[in-house]
């Protein structure tokens, strides 16, 4: 009998189901790994969105906004970064103490098609407004309460900012 007869004999095709199972298994493992990496990246994006939302809220607070303006700024920032379920945490957040804390609860979908799973997540971030000059974050009685225009990183009344712009143009 020929030494290579087993290759061309009547048993051809017996390895096909095994090869098919190996290929399907490899594809399933690859898809699972890809989905896991995608889920990890989505979690990082949600944390980054929470961080940016807290910073946006702190900026609104620094510019003289109240709780409503701070919350609107934080939600708008989170929405612009792909997160729809962000909220300002009420405890520990007020213009008097300078802290803005944002919580993002956005589920992460892992898997494909009918094999996908939604994993609930909760990411929080806190930003603090620091008053380097020591004058307090809230305007004192008789102080100008806004709106402000920002020039060279400092808040100014709109009329002062207009005069500053004229002076800067002339210089």
């Amino acid at each position: 009998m020929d030494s290579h007869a087993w290759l061309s004999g009547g048993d051809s095709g017996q390895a096909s189901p095994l090869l098919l199972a190996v290929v399907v298994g490899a594809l399933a493992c690859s898809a699972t790994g890809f989905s896991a990496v995608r889920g990890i990246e989505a979690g990082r994006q949600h944390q980054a969105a929470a961080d940016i939302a807290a910073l946006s809220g702190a900026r609104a607070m620094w510019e003289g906004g109240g709780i409503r303006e701070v919350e609107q700024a934080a939600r708008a920032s989170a929405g612009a970064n792909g997160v729809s379920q962000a909220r300002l945490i009420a405890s520990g957040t007020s213009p008097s103490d300078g802290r803005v804390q944002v919580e993002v609860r956005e589920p992460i979908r892992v898997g494909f098609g009918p094999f996908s799973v939604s994993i609930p997540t909760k990411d929080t971030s806190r930003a603090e407004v620091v008053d380097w000059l020591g004058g307090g974050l809230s305007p004192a009685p008789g102080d100008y309460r806004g709106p402000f225009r920002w020039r060279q990183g400092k808040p100014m009344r709109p009329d002062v900012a207009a005069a500053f712009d004229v002076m800067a143009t002339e210089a």
Side-chain angles (χ1 to χ4, degrees):
M1 178 172 199
D2 185 14
S3 63
H4 298 289
W6 61 275
L7 290 176
S8 61
D11 294 337
S12 67
Q14 288 184 356
S16 294
L18 179 60
L19 181 61
L20 182 62
V22 169
V23 169
V24 168
L27 287 174
C29 287
S30 296
T32 302
F34 177 72
S35 179
V37 169
R38 200 173 76 195
I40 292 169
E41 182 59 28
R44 288 182 180 159
Q45 289 174 351
H46 291 170
Q47 182 61 53
D51 294 343
I52 293 169
L55 288 171
S56 295
R59 172 76 187 252
M61 184 183 292
W62 178 252
E63 291 175 350
I67 293 294
R68 175 174 285 162
E69 290 83 11
V70 170
E71 185 169 17
Q72 286 174 346
R75 284 181 185 241
S77 176
N81 285 287
V83 173
S84 61
Q85 299 179 24
R87 71 181 181 100
L88 198 64
I89 298 174
S91 61
T93 304
S94 70
S96 62
D97 65 10
R99 286 184 288 147
V100 175
Q101 192 166 356
V102 175
E103 178 182 86
V104 171
R105 289 183 178 252
E106 192 82 18
I108 297 174
R109 299 224 30 105
V110 178
F112 296 97
F115 303 108
S116 65
V117 178
S118 180
I119 301 171
T121 63
K122 180 175 110 175
D123 298 300
T124 59
S125 185
R126 185 173 75 182
E128 296 187 21
V129 177
V130 178
D131 182 20
W132 293 99
L133 300 176
L137 296 174
S138 301
D143 283 352
Y144 180 72
R145 296 187 179 272
F148 291 102
R149 302 289 184 261
W150 289 80
R151 301 295 186 270
Q152 296 182 343
K154 295 183 176 58
M156 298 181 183
R157 291 186 343 219
D159 59 334
V160 174
F164 183 87
D165 292 342
V166 169
M167 182 183 72
T169 304
E170 294 296 322

